[in-house]
Amino acid sequence: MKYLSYSIAFLSSLVSRAVALNFTIAGGQIFTPGFAVLDAPQPGTPLGGDTLEVALDVTADGKLHLPPYSADSPSRINNITIFLYSYDTGRNFTITNGTASTNNVSLGDIMQSEPGSTVKHVKWNWPDCLIGDGKPENADSDRGAYNISIRQNFRLNGNDHYTIFDVPISVTNKIEFTGNNPPCDSVNNPLLTPEEIDAESANSVGVLFAPGDSTVVQQTDSTDDGGDGIGPTKPEANPGDGLGGAGALKRTSAVYWISLLSIVYFII
């Protein structure tokens, strides 16, 4: 009975997140308040395996050149940092803050990774306190409901922005010891309150570059390769990327129930 009660509480936590969610999705891509477009994972995905993997298109589907940017470029990405946090567990893990730590416990500047590729694939070793299988069984577990928080520091047409985009996931799939799992405290940070973060004000620029968005990106011409400056075409999404179906839609909490149903089935 205690196990069932905690399962219900965990599900209620996910449901409360669903009510407040509102994503803009087209062709399986999730558009953000910034140049980055999220290819994977989808909101609500149960995650596990050897690493946490995030795929980001950093050119707004070809609208922004890849770095290096000229010093006077009116549009550019300064940096992208990513965290994994949960108000349920009180954890706030650094995935990447732009500077690689020893043994890649936290990752370096993703904008400098995979040169020439418009899509950056972040692969981060799960910390040791998330090793396990299934949903959290008690209130002391560090597994359960989390947000992947994507923070973009960028300039768009001469104006500087810092935005925060959270993607809810659940750490409920199997995670095994690999020998590369860092101690949780080595990547943990103090957890700020929603009021301290104030994502609403930070994201006042709104979701950018989704289909129908007429924003024109002002930037200096690329002279590195004589091309359009966006690098090679990114590969098409496939089921292995954890992406949704084709077509454009405005994703609201009603659509999000599809993801919740899979979690409900898992719990039952």
Side-chain angles (χ1 to χ4, degrees):
M1 180 62 68
K2 181 179 179 182
Y3 186 78
L4 177 60
S5 298
Y6 193 75
S7 297
I8 293 173
F10 173 61
L11 178 59
S12 298
S13 173
L14 292 177
V15 170
S16 66
R17 285 167 171 77
V19 172
L21 295 180
N22 198 356
F23 293 99
T24 301
I25 298 181
Q29 293 184 300
I30 304 173
F31 291 82
T32 73
F35 286 111
V37 180
L38 180 66
D39 287 347
Q42 288 281 300
T45 302
L47 297 181
D50 290 342
T51 58
L52 186 157
E53 300 186 10
V54 179
L56 287 174
D57 184 310
V58 297
T59 66
D61 282 343
K63 295 180 176 65
L64 178 71
H65 300 330
L66 284 169
Y69 307 108
S70 64
D72 61 346
S73 178
S75 299
R76 58 183 292 154
I77 295 176
N78 296 319
N79 60 68
I80 296 176
T81 57
I82 306 176
F83 300 87
L84 180 70
Y85 79 89
S86 170
Y87 285 115
D88 291 346
T89 66
R91 292 291 195 174
N92 181 22
F93 300 123
T94 300
I95 297 176
T96 171
N97 62 3
T99 303
S101 60
T102 303
N103 297 323
N104 281 328
V105 170
S106 59
L107 304 178
D109 186 355
I110 69 169
M111 295 298 295
Q112 302 303 319
S113 68
E114 299 174 275
S117 176
T118 62
V119 178
K120 307 302 181 183
H121 299 87
V122 176
K123 296 183 178 182
W124 179 68
N125 292 312
W126 294 106
D128 58 7
C129 61
L130 298 182
I131 293 172
D133 190 8
K135 63 185 179 298
E137 298 183 6
N138 56 65
D140 295 327
S141 175
D142 283 312
R143 293 170 60 86
Y146 276 83
N147 287 288
I148 298 173
S149 189
I150 301 168
R151 316 288 179 90
Q152 299 178 65
N153 181 341
F154 65 98
R155 179 178 299 163
L156 173 61
N157 299 342
N159 296 312
D160 293 323
H161 302 277
Y162 179 84
T163 64
I164 301 167
F165 185 74
D166 288 350
V167 183
I169 55 93
S170 62
V171 181
T172 50
N173 284 357
K174 188 174 185 179
I175 298 174
E176 296 183 312
F177 176 75
T178 65
N180 296 315
N181 310 95
C184 276
D185 289 344
S186 70
V187 289
N188 194 47
N189 308 282
L191 187 59
L192 301 178
T193 66
E195 291 75 21
E196 290 173 314
I197 295 173
D198 194 11
E200 183 176 356
S201 295
N203 297 340
S204 59
V205 66
V207 172
L208 297 168
F209 307 114
D213 186 345
S214 60
T215 302
V216 175
V217 178
Q218 301 169 6
Q219 57 192 322
T220 54
D221 292 333
S222 172
T223 58
D224 294 336
D225 56 12
D228 56 14
I230 65 172
T233 303
K234 74 182 185 65
E236 290 298 320
N238 59 67
D241 295 325
L243 304 181
L249 61 126
K250 185 71 172 181
R251 184 174 197 161
T252 63
S253 58
V255 179
Y256 186 75
W257 285 104
I258 296 173
S259 298
L260 284 178
L261 286 176
S262 64
I263 299 173
V264 172
Y265 177 81
F266 176 79
I267 291 175
I268 295 175

